[in-house]
Amino acid sequence: RPDVFESDTEHSPVAPARREAIARWMVDNGADVNSTDFQNVTIFNTACASASLSFVQELASKVKPDHLSMPDSNDMTPMRRA
């Protein structure tokens, strides 16, 4: 059985689903959905780019209202990523 993490690349067709599964696990286990990285990117911003609609809707109900339209350091808002 191959190691699924070693065989996964950014261009793999399963990569977005795997990232969403990991993000869901983190949220379900208490991750702060309002945290940002060094480029002001939030989990909601990232989810809008590649996650399922149901996960985006779930996050939209959990994040602070300003995160729904907050741009990152490259001026990318969640709507622009979608």
Side-chain angles (χ1 to χ4, degrees):
R1 180 182 97 124
D3 183 340
V4 294
F5 291 105
E6 286 183 20
S7 62
D8 186 24
T9 67
E10 189 67 26
H11 304 290
S12 167
V14 298
R18 183 164 294 123
R19 285 192 300 270
E20 181 176 329
I22 292 167
R24 277 187 184 277
W25 182 89
M26 291 175 68
V27 170
D28 290 346
N29 286 279
D32 180 3
V33 296
N34 292 301
S35 64
T36 61
D37 71 3
F38 70 100
Q39 293 182 315
N40 207 40
V41 175
T42 67
I43 189 171
F44 182 71
N45 194 303
T46 302
C48 285
S50 62
S52 67
L53 178 58
S54 64
F55 188 53
V56 171
Q57 290 172 325
E58 178 184 335
L59 288 174
S61 71
K62 294 180 178 184
V63 298
K64 294 178 184 176
D66 62 322
H67 283 225
L68 300 176
S69 59
M70 184 172 72
D72 64 18
S73 63
N74 294 311
D75 205 32
M76 292 293 290
T77 63
M79 185 59 80
R80 288 183 72 191
R81 286 193 184 273

